[in-house]
Amino acid sequence: MSTSLDVIIKRMAMIFLVVGVLFGVILIFSYDIIKIDWPSFMEIQPSYKQMEDPLPPPERSIPIEGPISIPGMGAPENPTTADEASVTRGAELFAIHCQMCHGPTGEGNGPVAPFLVNFKPANLTSAVVQSKSDGSFFLTISNGVDGKMPALNENLTVPERWDVVNFLRTLKASE
Ligand code: HEC
């Protein structure tokens, strides 16, 4: 009786030892004492930071939201008629996405403008800006101005951007 108890205790001790060592080895890896670069780590991914250029569309992809710029194909044509509905929508979107920098009248005097030290928001009523094409406005809204104005392609859908463009044209009058 006593001998078989001895054997059982020894076996149990052995099992605990083996399991304990295994557990210890696993902890070494899970606490990164020995670091293995598992490919599932969050930092290894094609993410990009705020205000960074948007990722280019995958090769051979076709836009499904209507005529949008295709890199290297120049400025797109405005497909949206500048009727009252479009301009009204554009005005609302301008108040949400642009006014803080460009100001309610588009003259570059929004509440954020004083804090932009290096580059003041463009005066959208000026002849210089108004002489640009609708497609150029569209690209500016979509891609921003490098280091000066953020790309707003994630804030505004393609049709919304054209509504804003149509609204920008009405700013000419206040010049
Ligand atoms: C964070 C502030 C900011 C916001 C928001 C912003 N802009 Fe701008 N925008 C600027 C600045 C700064 C410039 C001037 C860049 C320069 O000096 O070339 C500019 C320039 C422009 C220009 C002139 C580009 C050119 O080719 O000369 C247009 C058009 C324009 N913005 C339209 C818009 C519209 C439309 C929106 C909203 C959908 C918008 N911006 C939102 C800061 C802003």
Side-chain angles (χ1 to χ4, degrees):
M1 181 67 198
S2 72
T3 41
S4 72
L5 191 67
D6 245 23
V7 171
I8 289 172
I9 288 171
K10 269 184 192 162
R11 279 186 189 163
M12 290 295 279
M14 202 59 198
I15 289 170
F16 276 124
L17 190 73
V18 170
V19 170
V21 167
L22 265 178
F23 193 65
V25 169
I26 290 169
L27 282 187
I28 286 176
F29 290 104
S30 58
Y31 281 97
D32 281 349
I33 293 163
I34 297 178
K35 194 168 161 50
I36 296 179
D37 275 340
W38 302 107
S40 59
F41 281 170
M42 287 288 279
E43 70 259 26
I44 311 173
Q45 58 168 330
S47 59
Y48 59 103
K49 298 201 172 67
Q50 197 96 50
M51 300 280 267
E52 219 174 55
D53 280 347
L55 295 177
E59 227 175 291
R60 295 179 64 82
S61 57
I62 296 167
I64 55 164
E65 287 184 294
I68 184 180
S69 78
I70 300 172
M73 295 275 284
E77 290 281 318
N78 187 348
T80 310
T81 322
D83 54 15
E84 206 187 314
S86 167
V87 171
T88 312
R89 269 197 307 272
E92 279 170 12
L93 294 166
F94 182 89
I96 296 168
H97 298 283
C98 323
Q99 188 169 309
M100 70 289 232
C101 288
H102 288 283
T105 53
E107 281 159 309
N109 52 358
V112 170
F115 301 100
L116 299 174
V117 184
N118 296 324
F119 301 100
K120 293 298 167 198
N123 178 354
L124 303 179
T125 67
S126 69
V128 187
V129 171
Q130 285 294 336
S131 68
K132 301 190 180 203
S133 68
D134 284 5
S136 152
F137 284 170
F138 180 87
L139 292 181
T140 301
I141 299 170
S142 305
N143 304 327
V145 182
D146 210 8
K148 299 175 185 172
M149 175 179 145
L152 294 167
N153 58 339
E154 289 186 358
N155 301 37
L156 297 158
T157 64
V158 169
E160 282 174 345
R161 279 174 241 168
W162 287 118
D163 290 335
V164 173
V165 169
N166 286 337
F167 170 71
L168 292 187
R169 287 296 174 212
T170 68
L171 291 173
K172 211 185 322 195
S174 70
E175 200 188 353

